[in-house]
Amino acid sequence: MYVYLVKKGETLPSIARSVGVDPDELSELNQIYEETPVPGTSLLVPTSVATELVTYTVQRGDTLRKVTGRFRMPEKIALAANRSLHAEDLTEGRILTLPIPRLQKAPLEVNLRLELEEVTENRETVEDARPALSSFSASSVLVDGEGGLHFPLNNERHVEMLAHHAKCRSLVLVQPFDDKAARRVLYHSPSRRHFFANLMQWVAADSFSGVHLEFLGLAPEHRFQFNGFVRELATRVRQKKGVLYVGVPPHYEDDPQHLRAGAYDLSLIGQYADRVVWNVDEAYGRTEGPPMSLAPYHLIQRTLLHALTVVQKRKLLLGLPFYGYDWARPYTSDSHPYMILHGPPTPETDVVELPKQVLWDERALSPMFVYRDGSGDLREAWYEDARSIAAKLHLVQALGLAGISGKVYGATMPALWQMIADSYEIA
């Protein structure tokens, strides 16, 4: 597949004709059913040649012919993937996204972190993602203050069914019920023993092949206790021949006093965990913060360069959000955004004014749009689409990381998984 950016005045039928694809196939693949998508929307177009999306900063004297010749790609593909790009007029410093042919598939590990939603929706997501998956982690188990483990809404059987359906390594994803529960399991020996005894039963029974631990949001003063907890958990998991994934918030330096990241000793976690999941959704566009990209490329790159000084690159998974948030404008600290899954609202939704254009932030390599909701209030949305995910996959490859961990709430666009399966050798 390659990325096609919808231009003003284009329709799905006209795009389909220009790229030689059936309109219904294009619509179904991208889950876009209105005839006129919002300009700037990213579409995935099937092609007989696998591609990867690379970023290129325009240099002085560049022309489109020079750039595409350097990458040995057709000019029409470069034009398709970038907005307002003219053949002989490129601005120095502009960042282009270029779908270039991939002659040999590179290995990529892909983990799916699924936040459980409606049963049918969960199953459909796993079905869509299955060809692209190396491992599957269902957000399934909450730890209480006594070390007990609970499947929300009695979902244990459902989670086991999904794990079986995924047909790949399945991990039990463990999170604390709240801050109080996290502290008690870390500090209170009886609660901790109870936690390990319950957890190891599942790993020993072959229901799961390992543990995905996400004790995020810990205060810096818990660093020493969390270190001991990770060491003990790694020892117990390996005794059962399982694997351990540990999620951490991204950061630029090892500062034990850092409010958000100080509790996570990256050197120790990298030593004991089989995979360190670099959860960028824990640092940038957040429900309690102002509108911004959930996965800004330039900031991710900076934090990963720090991570690679401490953790072996074969152990690092870049945790990416496969969703977005929609904030009220102007932003106030007491407001919280809505979650969005697939991009701009459609004409059928309750809005006063649809987005006129999906804009592209050339530093964050993320799309965003503004519109007016049904009450006439202005809103701003940032999300991840095929173009932004493809660009960050290229960063993963360029840095030599093991792969990605995609965080999903219920549904995703099937084309994202097909793009990954087509372009990479799933490890």
mmCIF file with all atom_site columns, all heavy atoms in Angstrom, residues 223 227 230-231 248 251 254 264-273 276 278 306-307 309-312 315:
data_model
loop_
_atom_site.group_PDB
_atom_site.id
_atom_site.type_symbol
_atom_site.label_atom_id
_atom_site.label_alt_id
_atom_site.label_comp_id
_atom_site.label_asym_id
_atom_site.label_entity_id
_atom_site.label_seq_id
_atom_site.pdbx_PDB_ins_code
_atom_site.Cartn_x
_atom_site.Cartn_y
_atom_site.Cartn_z
_atom_site.occupancy
_atom_site.B_iso_or_equiv
_atom_site.pdbx_formal_charge
_atom_site.auth_seq_id
_atom_site.auth_comp_id
_atom_site.auth_asym_id
_atom_site.auth_atom_id
_atom_site.pdbx_PDB_model_num
ATOM 1   N N   . ARG A 1 223 ? 10.479 4.642   43.591 1.00 0.00 ? 223 ARG A N   1
ATOM 2   C CA  . ARG A 1 223 ? 11.485 4.078   42.684 1.00 0.00 ? 223 ARG A CA  1
ATOM 3   C C   . ARG A 1 223 ? 12.153 2.819   43.262 1.00 0.00 ? 223 ARG A C   1
ATOM 4   O O   . ARG A 1 223 ? 12.243 1.792   42.588 1.00 0.00 ? 223 ARG A O   1
ATOM 5   C CB  . ARG A 1 223 ? 12.531 5.150   42.373 1.00 0.00 ? 223 ARG A CB  1
ATOM 6   C CG  . ARG A 1 223 ? 13.620 4.730   41.384 1.00 0.00 ? 223 ARG A CG  1
ATOM 7   C CD  . ARG A 1 223 ? 14.616 5.857   41.205 1.00 0.00 ? 223 ARG A CD  1
ATOM 8   N NE  . ARG A 1 223 ? 15.721 5.553   40.325 1.00 0.00 ? 223 ARG A NE  1
ATOM 9   C CZ  . ARG A 1 223 ? 15.860 5.998   39.088 1.00 0.00 ? 223 ARG A CZ  1
ATOM 10  N NH1 . ARG A 1 223 ? 14.925 6.773   38.572 1.00 0.00 ? 223 ARG A NH1 1
ATOM 11  N NH2 . ARG A 1 223 ? 16.916 5.690   38.361 1.00 0.00 ? 223 ARG A NH2 1
ATOM 12  N N   . ASN A 1 227 ? 11.677 -0.994  41.790 1.00 0.00 ? 227 ASN A N   1
ATOM 13  C CA  . ASN A 1 227 ? 12.815 -1.781  41.323 1.00 0.00 ? 227 ASN A CA  1
ATOM 14  C C   . ASN A 1 227 ? 12.764 -3.196  41.865 1.00 0.00 ? 227 ASN A C   1
ATOM 15  O O   . ASN A 1 227 ? 12.919 -4.184  41.129 1.00 0.00 ? 227 ASN A O   1
ATOM 16  C CB  . ASN A 1 227 ? 14.132 -1.117  41.755 1.00 0.00 ? 227 ASN A CB  1
ATOM 17  C CG  . ASN A 1 227 ? 14.555 0.011   40.830 1.00 0.00 ? 227 ASN A CG  1
ATOM 18  O OD1 . ASN A 1 227 ? 13.997 0.181   39.750 1.00 0.00 ? 227 ASN A OD1 1
ATOM 19  N ND2 . ASN A 1 227 ? 15.530 0.782   41.253 1.00 0.00 ? 227 ASN A ND2 1
ATOM 20  N N   . VAL A 1 230 ? 9.903  -5.230  40.240 1.00 0.00 ? 230 VAL A N   1
ATOM 21  C CA  . VAL A 1 230 ? 10.210 -5.698  38.885 1.00 0.00 ? 230 VAL A CA  1
ATOM 22  C C   . VAL A 1 230 ? 11.190 -6.865  38.925 1.00 0.00 ? 230 VAL A C   1
ATOM 23  O O   . VAL A 1 230 ? 11.029 -7.849  38.195 1.00 0.00 ? 230 VAL A O   1
ATOM 24  C CB  . VAL A 1 230 ? 10.767 -4.543  38.027 1.00 0.00 ? 230 VAL A CB  1
ATOM 25  C CG1 . VAL A 1 230 ? 11.325 -5.065  36.707 1.00 0.00 ? 230 VAL A CG1 1
ATOM 26  C CG2 . VAL A 1 230 ? 9.678  -3.506  37.755 1.00 0.00 ? 230 VAL A CG2 1
ATOM 27  N N   . ARG A 1 231 ? 12.211 -6.783  39.775 1.00 0.00 ? 231 ARG A N   1
ATOM 28  C CA  . ARG A 1 231 ? 13.177 -7.891  39.900 1.00 0.00 ? 231 ARG A CA  1
ATOM 29  C C   . ARG A 1 231 ? 12.476 -9.183  40.300 1.00 0.00 ? 231 ARG A C   1
ATOM 30  O O   . ARG A 1 231 ? 12.714 -10.239 39.708 1.00 0.00 ? 231 ARG A O   1
ATOM 31  C CB  . ARG A 1 231 ? 14.250 -7.544  40.940 1.00 0.00 ? 231 ARG A CB  1
ATOM 32  C CG  . ARG A 1 231 ? 15.404 -6.714  40.427 1.00 0.00 ? 231 ARG A CG  1
ATOM 33  C CD  . ARG A 1 231 ? 16.570 -6.740  41.393 1.00 0.00 ? 231 ARG A CD  1
ATOM 34  N NE  . ARG A 1 231 ? 16.197 -6.212  42.700 1.00 0.00 ? 231 ARG A NE  1
ATOM 35  C CZ  . ARG A 1 231 ? 16.418 -4.954  43.087 1.00 0.00 ? 231 ARG A CZ  1
ATOM 36  N NH1 . ARG A 1 231 ? 17.001 -4.116  42.263 1.00 0.00 ? 231 ARG A NH1 1
ATOM 37  N NH2 . ARG A 1 231 ? 16.056 -4.547  44.293 1.00 0.00 ? 231 ARG A NH2 1
ATOM 38  N N   . VAL A 1 248 ? 6.676  1.969   30.449 1.00 0.00 ? 248 VAL A N   1
ATOM 39  C CA  . VAL A 1 248 ? 7.245  3.124   31.149 1.00 0.00 ? 248 VAL A CA  1
ATOM 40  C C   . VAL A 1 248 ? 6.870  4.399   30.388 1.00 0.00 ? 248 VAL A C   1
ATOM 41  O O   . VAL A 1 248 ? 6.669  4.362   29.174 1.00 0.00 ? 248 VAL A O   1
ATOM 42  C CB  . VAL A 1 248 ? 8.787  3.030   31.264 1.00 0.00 ? 248 VAL A CB  1
ATOM 43  C CG1 . VAL A 1 248 ? 9.195  1.781   32.037 1.00 0.00 ? 248 VAL A CG1 1
ATOM 44  C CG2 . VAL A 1 248 ? 9.444  3.037   29.895 1.00 0.00 ? 248 VAL A CG2 1
ATOM 45  N N   . HIS A 1 251 ? 10.941 9.688   28.586 1.00 0.00 ? 251 HIS A N   1
ATOM 46  C CA  . HIS A 1 251 ? 11.629 10.784  29.259 1.00 0.00 ? 251 HIS A CA  1
ATOM 47  C C   . HIS A 1 251 ? 12.975 11.026  28.588 1.00 0.00 ? 251 HIS A C   1
ATOM 48  O O   . HIS A 1 251 ? 13.473 10.191  27.838 1.00 0.00 ? 251 HIS A O   1
ATOM 49  C CB  . HIS A 1 251 ? 11.802 10.507  30.759 1.00 0.00 ? 251 HIS A CB  1
ATOM 50  C CG  . HIS A 1 251 ? 12.315 9.141   31.084 1.00 0.00 ? 251 HIS A CG  1
ATOM 51  N ND1 . HIS A 1 251 ? 11.514 8.011   31.095 1.00 0.00 ? 251 HIS A ND1 1
ATOM 52  C CD2 . HIS A 1 251 ? 13.563 8.711   31.408 1.00 0.00 ? 251 HIS A CD2 1
ATOM 53  C CE1 . HIS A 1 251 ? 12.237 6.957   31.422 1.00 0.00 ? 251 HIS A CE1 1
ATOM 54  N NE2 . HIS A 1 251 ? 13.487 7.348   31.609 1.00 0.00 ? 251 HIS A NE2 1
ATOM 55  N N   . ASP A 1 254 ? 17.629 10.389  33.016 1.00 0.00 ? 254 ASP A N   1
ATOM 56  C CA  . ASP A 1 254 ? 17.323 9.637   34.221 1.00 0.00 ? 254 ASP A CA  1
ATOM 57  C C   . ASP A 1 254 ? 17.370 10.583  35.418 1.00 0.00 ? 254 ASP A C   1
ATOM 58  O O   . ASP A 1 254 ? 18.435 10.861  35.959 1.00 0.00 ? 254 ASP A O   1
ATOM 59  C CB  . ASP A 1 254 ? 18.325 8.482   34.400 1.00 0.00 ? 254 ASP A CB  1
ATOM 60  C CG  . ASP A 1 254 ? 17.971 7.622   35.601 1.00 0.00 ? 254 ASP A CG  1
ATOM 61  O OD1 . ASP A 1 254 ? 16.787 7.625   35.989 1.00 0.00 ? 254 ASP A OD1 1
ATOM 62  O OD2 . ASP A 1 254 ? 18.864 6.961   36.157 1.00 0.00 ? 254 ASP A OD2 1
ATOM 63  N N   . TYR A 1 264 ? 10.813 5.240   37.546 1.00 0.00 ? 264 TYR A N   1
ATOM 64  C CA  . TYR A 1 264 ? 11.164 4.171   36.597 1.00 0.00 ? 264 TYR A CA  1
ATOM 65  C C   . TYR A 1 264 ? 12.663 4.196   36.303 1.00 0.00 ? 264 TYR A C   1
ATOM 66  O O   . TYR A 1 264 ? 13.148 5.058   35.573 1.00 0.00 ? 264 TYR A O   1
ATOM 67  C CB  . TYR A 1 264 ? 10.331 4.320   35.321 1.00 0.00 ? 264 TYR A CB  1
ATOM 68  C CG  . TYR A 1 264 ? 8.855  4.383   35.645 1.00 0.00 ? 264 TYR A CG  1
ATOM 69  C CD1 . TYR A 1 264 ? 8.223  5.614   35.825 1.00 0.00 ? 264 TYR A CD1 1
ATOM 70  C CD2 . TYR A 1 264 ? 8.127  3.219   35.851 1.00 0.00 ? 264 TYR A CD2 1
ATOM 71  C CE1 . TYR A 1 264 ? 6.884  5.671   36.178 1.00 0.00 ? 264 TYR A CE1 1
ATOM 72  C CE2 . TYR A 1 264 ? 6.790  3.271   36.204 1.00 0.00 ? 264 TYR A CE2 1
ATOM 73  C CZ  . TYR A 1 264 ? 6.175  4.502   36.373 1.00 0.00 ? 264 TYR A CZ  1
ATOM 74  O OH  . TYR A 1 264 ? 4.851  4.560   36.736 1.00 0.00 ? 264 TYR A OH  1
ATOM 75  N N   . ASP A 1 265 ? 13.371 3.262   36.922 1.00 0.00 ? 265 ASP A N   1
ATOM 76  C CA  . ASP A 1 265 ? 14.812 3.112   36.729 1.00 0.00 ? 265 ASP A CA  1
ATOM 77  C C   . ASP A 1 265 ? 15.022 2.332   35.438 1.00 0.00 ? 265 ASP A C   1
ATOM 78  O O   . ASP A 1 265 ? 14.982 1.100   35.424 1.00 0.00 ? 265 ASP A O   1
ATOM 79  C CB  . ASP A 1 265 ? 15.412 2.375   37.924 1.00 0.00 ? 265 ASP A CB  1
ATOM 80  C CG  . ASP A 1 265 ? 16.921 2.267   37.863 1.00 0.00 ? 265 ASP A CG  1
ATOM 81  O OD1 . ASP A 1 265 ? 17.488 2.420   36.762 1.00 0.00 ? 265 ASP A OD1 1
ATOM 82  O OD2 . ASP A 1 265 ? 17.537 2.013   38.912 1.00 0.00 ? 265 ASP A OD2 1
ATOM 83  N N   . LEU A 1 266 ? 15.220 3.065   34.357 1.00 0.00 ? 266 LEU A N   1
ATOM 84  C CA  . LEU A 1 266 ? 15.251 2.446   33.035 1.00 0.00 ? 266 LEU A CA  1
ATOM 85  C C   . LEU A 1 266 ? 16.359 1.412   32.904 1.00 0.00 ? 266 LEU A C   1
ATOM 86  O O   . LEU A 1 266 ? 16.180 0.379   32.253 1.00 0.00 ? 266 LEU A O   1
ATOM 87  C CB  . LEU A 1 266 ? 15.406 3.537   31.973 1.00 0.00 ? 266 LEU A CB  1
ATOM 88  C CG  . LEU A 1 266 ? 15.140 3.136   30.525 1.00 0.00 ? 266 LEU A CG  1
ATOM 89  C CD1 . LEU A 1 266 ? 13.754 2.558   30.367 1.00 0.00 ? 266 LEU A CD1 1
ATOM 90  C CD2 . LEU A 1 266 ? 15.328 4.339   29.610 1.00 0.00 ? 266 LEU A CD2 1
ATOM 91  N N   . SER A 1 267 ? 17.495 1.667   33.533 1.00 0.00 ? 267 SER A N   1
ATOM 92  C CA  . SER A 1 267 ? 18.605 0.721   33.468 1.00 0.00 ? 267 SER A CA  1
ATOM 93  C C   . SER A 1 267 ? 18.224 -0.611  34.076 1.00 0.00 ? 267 SER A C   1
ATOM 94  O O   . SER A 1 267 ? 18.461 -1.682  33.496 1.00 0.00 ? 267 SER A O   1
ATOM 95  C CB  . SER A 1 267 ? 19.823 1.312   34.180 1.00 0.00 ? 267 SER A CB  1
ATOM 96  O OG  . SER A 1 267 ? 20.895 0.391   34.184 1.00 0.00 ? 267 SER A OG  1
ATOM 97  N N   . LEU A 1 268 ? 17.602 -0.581  35.265 1.00 0.00 ? 268 LEU A N   1
ATOM 98  C CA  . LEU A 1 268 ? 17.201 -1.830  35.917 1.00 0.00 ? 268 LEU A CA  1
ATOM 99  C C   . LEU A 1 268 ? 16.063 -2.513  35.173 1.00 0.00 ? 268 LEU A C   1
ATOM 100 O O   . LEU A 1 268 ? 16.080 -3.730  34.960 1.00 0.00 ? 268 LEU A O   1
ATOM 101 C CB  . LEU A 1 268 ? 16.799 -1.557  37.363 1.00 0.00 ? 268 LEU A CB  1
ATOM 102 C CG  . LEU A 1 268 ? 16.391 -2.824  38.129 1.00 0.00 ? 268 LEU A CG  1
ATOM 103 C CD1 . LEU A 1 268 ? 17.031 -2.851  39.507 1.00 0.00 ? 268 LEU A CD1 1
ATOM 104 C CD2 . LEU A 1 268 ? 14.881 -2.940  38.255 1.00 0.00 ? 268 LEU A CD2 1
ATOM 105 N N   . ILE A 1 269 ? 15.055 -1.731  34.754 1.00 0.00 ? 269 ILE A N   1
ATOM 106 C CA  . ILE A 1 269 ? 13.926 -2.326  34.034 1.00 0.00 ? 269 ILE A CA  1
ATOM 107 C C   . ILE A 1 269 ? 14.410 -2.972  32.741 1.00 0.00 ? 269 ILE A C   1
ATOM 108 O O   . ILE A 1 269 ? 14.000 -4.084  32.391 1.00 0.00 ? 269 ILE A O   1
ATOM 109 C CB  . ILE A 1 269 ? 12.851 -1.258  33.763 1.00 0.00 ? 269 ILE A CB  1
ATOM 110 C CG1 . ILE A 1 269 ? 12.234 -0.794  35.088 1.00 0.00 ? 269 ILE A CG1 1
ATOM 111 C CG2 . ILE A 1 269 ? 11.767 -1.806  32.831 1.00 0.00 ? 269 ILE A CG2 1
ATOM 112 C CD1 . ILE A 1 269 ? 11.321 0.413   34.955 1.00 0.00 ? 269 ILE A CD1 1
ATOM 113 N N   . GLY A 1 270 ? 15.314 -2.291  32.034 1.00 0.00 ? 270 GLY A N   1
ATOM 114 C CA  . GLY A 1 270 ? 15.862 -2.855  30.804 1.00 0.00 ? 270 GLY A CA  1
ATOM 115 C C   . GLY A 1 270 ? 16.654 -4.125  31.039 1.00 0.00 ? 270 GLY A C   1
ATOM 116 O O   . GLY A 1 270 ? 16.750 -4.980  30.154 1.00 0.00 ? 270 GLY A O   1
ATOM 117 N N   . GLN A 1 271 ? 17.232 -4.263  32.225 1.00 0.00 ? 271 GLN A N   1
ATOM 118 C CA  . GLN A 1 271 ? 17.988 -5.474  32.551 1.00 0.00 ? 271 GLN A CA  1
ATOM 119 C C   . GLN A 1 271 ? 17.084 -6.663  32.800 1.00 0.00 ? 271 GLN A C   1
ATOM 120 O O   . GLN A 1 271 ? 17.376 -7.789  32.371 1.00 0.00 ? 271 GLN A O   1
ATOM 121 C CB  . GLN A 1 271 ? 18.842 -5.214  33.786 1.00 0.00 ? 271 GLN A CB  1
ATOM 122 C CG  . GLN A 1 271 ? 19.656 -6.416  34.271 1.00 0.00 ? 271 GLN A CG  1
ATOM 123 C CD  . GLN A 1 271 ? 20.427 -6.127  35.549 1.00 0.00 ? 271 GLN A CD  1
ATOM 124 O OE1 . GLN A 1 271 ? 20.540 -4.968  35.965 1.00 0.00 ? 271 GLN A OE1 1
ATOM 125 N NE2 . GLN A 1 271 ? 20.949 -7.168  36.168 1.00 0.00 ? 271 GLN A NE2 1
ATOM 126 N N   . TYR A 1 272 ? 15.948 -6.445  33.471 1.00 0.00 ? 272 TYR A N   1
ATOM 127 C CA  . TYR A 1 272 ? 15.103 -7.569  33.895 1.00 0.00 ? 272 TYR A CA  1
ATOM 128 C C   . TYR A 1 272 ? 13.923 -7.846  32.964 1.00 0.00 ? 272 TYR A C   1
ATOM 129 O O   . TYR A 1 272 ? 13.425 -8.973  32.926 1.00 0.00 ? 272 TYR A O   1
ATOM 130 C CB  . TYR A 1 272 ? 14.593 -7.318  35.318 1.00 0.00 ? 272 TYR A CB  1
ATOM 131 C CG  . TYR A 1 272 ? 15.658 -7.545  36.367 1.00 0.00 ? 272 TYR A CG  1
ATOM 132 C CD1 . TYR A 1 272 ? 16.424 -6.492  36.841 1.00 0.00 ? 272 TYR A CD1 1
ATOM 133 C CD2 . TYR A 1 272 ? 15.915 -8.821  36.853 1.00 0.00 ? 272 TYR A CD2 1
ATOM 134 C CE1 . TYR A 1 272 ? 17.417 -6.693  37.784 1.00 0.00 ? 272 TYR A CE1 1
ATOM 135 C CE2 . TYR A 1 272 ? 16.902 -9.041  37.797 1.00 0.00 ? 272 TYR A CE2 1
ATOM 136 C CZ  . TYR A 1 272 ? 17.657 -7.968  38.261 1.00 0.00 ? 272 TYR A CZ  1
ATOM 137 O OH  . TYR A 1 272 ? 18.642 -8.187  39.197 1.00 0.00 ? 272 TYR A OH  1
ATOM 138 N N   . ALA A 1 273 ? 13.447 -6.845  32.238 1.00 0.00 ? 273 ALA A N   1
ATOM 139 C CA  . ALA A 1 273 ? 12.296 -7.054  31.354 1.00 0.00 ? 273 ALA A CA  1
ATOM 140 C C   . ALA A 1 273 ? 12.750 -7.599  30.002 1.00 0.00 ? 273 ALA A C   1
ATOM 141 O O   . ALA A 1 273 ? 13.842 -7.283  29.523 1.00 0.00 ? 273 ALA A O   1
ATOM 142 C CB  . ALA A 1 273 ? 11.542 -5.739  31.152 1.00 0.00 ? 273 ALA A CB  1
ATOM 143 N N   . VAL A 1 276 ? 10.737 -3.437  26.948 1.00 0.00 ? 276 VAL A N   1
ATOM 144 C CA  . VAL A 1 276 ? 10.368 -2.174  27.578 1.00 0.00 ? 276 VAL A CA  1
ATOM 145 C C   . VAL A 1 276 ? 9.463  -1.440  26.599 1.00 0.00 ? 276 VAL A C   1
ATOM 146 O O   . VAL A 1 276 ? 9.861  -1.149  25.467 1.00 0.00 ? 276 VAL A O   1
ATOM 147 C CB  . VAL A 1 276 ? 11.605 -1.322  27.901 1.00 0.00 ? 276 VAL A CB  1
ATOM 148 C CG1 . VAL A 1 276 ? 11.179 0.021   28.494 1.00 0.00 ? 276 VAL A CG1 1
ATOM 149 C CG2 . VAL A 1 276 ? 12.532 -2.062  28.865 1.00 0.00 ? 276 VAL A CG2 1
ATOM 150 N N   . TRP A 1 278 ? 7.723  1.793   25.473 1.00 0.00 ? 278 TRP A N   1
ATOM 151 C CA  . TRP A 1 278 ? 7.936  3.234   25.606 1.00 0.00 ? 278 TRP A CA  1
ATOM 152 C C   . TRP A 1 278 ? 6.614  3.931   25.317 1.00 0.00 ? 278 TRP A C   1
ATOM 153 O O   . TRP A 1 278 ? 6.321  4.324   24.192 1.00 0.00 ? 278 TRP A O   1
ATOM 154 C CB  . TRP A 1 278 ? 9.031  3.650   24.632 1.00 0.00 ? 278 TRP A CB  1
ATOM 155 C CG  . TRP A 1 278 ? 9.757  4.915   24.930 1.00 0.00 ? 278 TRP A CG  1
ATOM 156 C CD1 . TRP A 1 278 ? 9.719  6.073   24.197 1.00 0.00 ? 278 TRP A CD1 1
ATOM 157 C CD2 . TRP A 1 278 ? 10.675 5.174   26.001 1.00 0.00 ? 278 TRP A CD2 1
ATOM 158 N NE1 . TRP A 1 278 ? 10.553 7.019   24.752 1.00 0.00 ? 278 TRP A NE1 1
ATOM 159 C CE2 . TRP A 1 278 ? 11.160 6.493   25.863 1.00 0.00 ? 278 TRP A CE2 1
ATOM 160 C CE3 . TRP A 1 278 ? 11.143 4.395   27.073 1.00 0.00 ? 278 TRP A CE3 1
ATOM 161 C CZ2 . TRP A 1 278 ? 12.074 7.056   26.742 1.00 0.00 ? 278 TRP A CZ2 1
ATOM 162 C CZ3 . TRP A 1 278 ? 12.056 4.964   27.941 1.00 0.00 ? 278 TRP A CZ3 1
ATOM 163 C CH2 . TRP A 1 278 ? 12.513 6.272   27.787 1.00 0.00 ? 278 TRP A CH2 1
ATOM 164 N N   . HIS A 1 306 ? 17.596 8.937   24.132 1.00 0.00 ? 306 HIS A N   1
ATOM 165 C CA  . HIS A 1 306 ? 18.006 8.704   25.528 1.00 0.00 ? 306 HIS A CA  1
ATOM 166 C C   . HIS A 1 306 ? 17.821 7.243   25.908 1.00 0.00 ? 306 HIS A C   1
ATOM 167 O O   . HIS A 1 306 ? 18.721 6.625   26.498 1.00 0.00 ? 306 HIS A O   1
ATOM 168 C CB  . HIS A 1 306 ? 17.190 9.580   26.478 1.00 0.00 ? 306 HIS A CB  1
ATOM 169 C CG  . HIS A 1 306 ? 17.257 9.123   27.905 1.00 0.00 ? 306 HIS A CG  1
ATOM 170 N ND1 . HIS A 1 306 ? 18.426 9.151   28.640 1.00 0.00 ? 306 HIS A ND1 1
ATOM 171 C CD2 . HIS A 1 306 ? 16.308 8.583   28.718 1.00 0.00 ? 306 HIS A CD2 1
ATOM 172 C CE1 . HIS A 1 306 ? 18.197 8.662   29.853 1.00 0.00 ? 306 HIS A CE1 1
ATOM 173 N NE2 . HIS A 1 306 ? 16.923 8.318   29.918 1.00 0.00 ? 306 HIS A NE2 1
ATOM 174 N N   . ALA A 1 307 ? 16.668 6.675   25.569 1.00 0.00 ? 307 ALA A N   1
ATOM 175 C CA  . ALA A 1 307 ? 16.399 5.278   25.935 1.00 0.00 ? 307 ALA A CA  1
ATOM 176 C C   . ALA A 1 307 ? 17.463 4.337   25.394 1.00 0.00 ? 307 ALA A C   1
ATOM 177 O O   . ALA A 1 307 ? 17.876 3.382   26.065 1.00 0.00 ? 307 ALA A O   1
ATOM 178 C CB  . ALA A 1 307 ? 15.022 4.862   25.434 1.00 0.00 ? 307 ALA A CB  1
ATOM 179 N N   . THR A 1 309 ? 20.524 4.805   25.046 1.00 0.00 ? 309 THR A N   1
ATOM 180 C CA  . THR A 1 309 ? 21.785 4.842   25.789 1.00 0.00 ? 309 THR A CA  1
ATOM 181 C C   . THR A 1 309 ? 21.733 3.934   27.010 1.00 0.00 ? 309 THR A C   1
ATOM 182 O O   . THR A 1 309 ? 22.766 3.681   27.636 1.00 0.00 ? 309 THR A O   1
ATOM 183 C CB  . THR A 1 309 ? 22.114 6.276   26.259 1.00 0.00 ? 309 THR A CB  1
ATOM 184 O OG1 . THR A 1 309 ? 21.127 6.699   27.219 1.00 0.00 ? 309 THR A OG1 1
ATOM 185 C CG2 . THR A 1 309 ? 22.138 7.245   25.097 1.00 0.00 ? 309 THR A CG2 1
ATOM 186 N N   . VAL A 1 310 ? 20.556 3.437   27.339 1.00 0.00 ? 310 VAL A N   1
ATOM 187 C CA  . VAL A 1 310 ? 20.369 2.652   28.565 1.00 0.00 ? 310 VAL A CA  1
ATOM 188 C C   . VAL A 1 310 ? 19.851 1.244   28.280 1.00 0.00 ? 310 VAL A C   1
ATOM 189 O O   . VAL A 1 310 ? 20.282 0.280   28.898 1.00 0.00 ? 310 VAL A O   1
ATOM 190 C CB  . VAL A 1 310 ? 19.384 3.379   29.524 1.00 0.00 ? 310 VAL A CB  1
ATOM 191 C CG1 . VAL A 1 310 ? 19.251 2.620   30.832 1.00 0.00 ? 310 VAL A CG1 1
ATOM 192 C CG2 . VAL A 1 310 ? 19.836 4.810   29.774 1.00 0.00 ? 310 VAL A CG2 1
ATOM 193 N N   . VAL A 1 311 ? 18.924 1.127   27.320 1.00 0.00 ? 311 VAL A N   1
ATOM 194 C CA  . VAL A 1 311 ? 18.255 -0.147  27.031 1.00 0.00 ? 311 VAL A CA  1
ATOM 195 C C   . VAL A 1 311 ? 18.704 -0.665  25.670 1.00 0.00 ? 311 VAL A C   1
ATOM 196 O O   . VAL A 1 311 ? 18.847 0.112   24.722 1.00 0.00 ? 311 VAL A O   1
ATOM 197 C CB  . VAL A 1 311 ? 16.718 0.030   27.039 1.00 0.00 ? 311 VAL A CB  1
ATOM 198 C CG1 . VAL A 1 311 ? 16.021 -1.298  26.742 1.00 0.00 ? 311 VAL A CG1 1
ATOM 199 C CG2 . VAL A 1 311 ? 16.252 0.584   28.378 1.00 0.00 ? 311 VAL A CG2 1
ATOM 200 N N   . GLN A 1 312 ? 18.912 -1.981  25.583 1.00 0.00 ? 312 GLN A N   1
ATOM 201 C CA  . GLN A 1 312 ? 19.262 -2.581  24.298 1.00 0.00 ? 312 GLN A CA  1
ATOM 202 C C   . GLN A 1 312 ? 18.120 -2.344  23.305 1.00 0.00 ? 312 GLN A C   1
ATOM 203 O O   . GLN A 1 312 ? 16.947 -2.534  23.635 1.00 0.00 ? 312 GLN A O   1
ATOM 204 C CB  . GLN A 1 312 ? 19.489 -4.079  24.462 1.00 0.00 ? 312 GLN A CB  1
ATOM 205 C CG  . GLN A 1 312 ? 20.625 -4.444  25.387 1.00 0.00 ? 312 GLN A CG  1
ATOM 206 C CD  . GLN A 1 312 ? 20.722 -5.944  25.583 1.00 0.00 ? 312 GLN A CD  1
ATOM 207 O OE1 . GLN A 1 312 ? 20.796 -6.708  24.619 1.00 0.00 ? 312 GLN A OE1 1
ATOM 208 N NE2 . GLN A 1 312 ? 20.697 -6.383  26.835 1.00 0.00 ? 312 GLN A NE2 1
ATOM 209 N N   . LYS A 1 315 ? 15.232 -4.665  22.771 1.00 0.00 ? 315 LYS A N   1
ATOM 210 C CA  . LYS A 1 315 ? 14.236 -4.804  23.830 1.00 0.00 ? 315 LYS A CA  1
ATOM 211 C C   . LYS A 1 315 ? 13.181 -3.705  23.815 1.00 0.00 ? 315 LYS A C   1
ATOM 212 O O   . LYS A 1 315 ? 12.223 -3.760  24.576 1.00 0.00 ? 315 LYS A O   1
ATOM 213 C CB  . LYS A 1 315 ? 14.923 -4.794  25.205 1.00 0.00 ? 315 LYS A CB  1
ATOM 214 C CG  . LYS A 1 315 ? 15.642 -6.073  25.569 1.00 0.00 ? 315 LYS A CG  1
ATOM 215 C CD  . LYS A 1 315 ? 16.035 -6.053  27.044 1.00 0.00 ? 315 LYS A CD  1
ATOM 216 C CE  . LYS A 1 315 ? 16.550 -7.423  27.490 1.00 0.00 ? 315 LYS A CE  1
ATOM 217 N NZ  . LYS A 1 315 ? 16.763 -7.463  28.954 1.00 0.00 ? 315 LYS A NZ  1
#
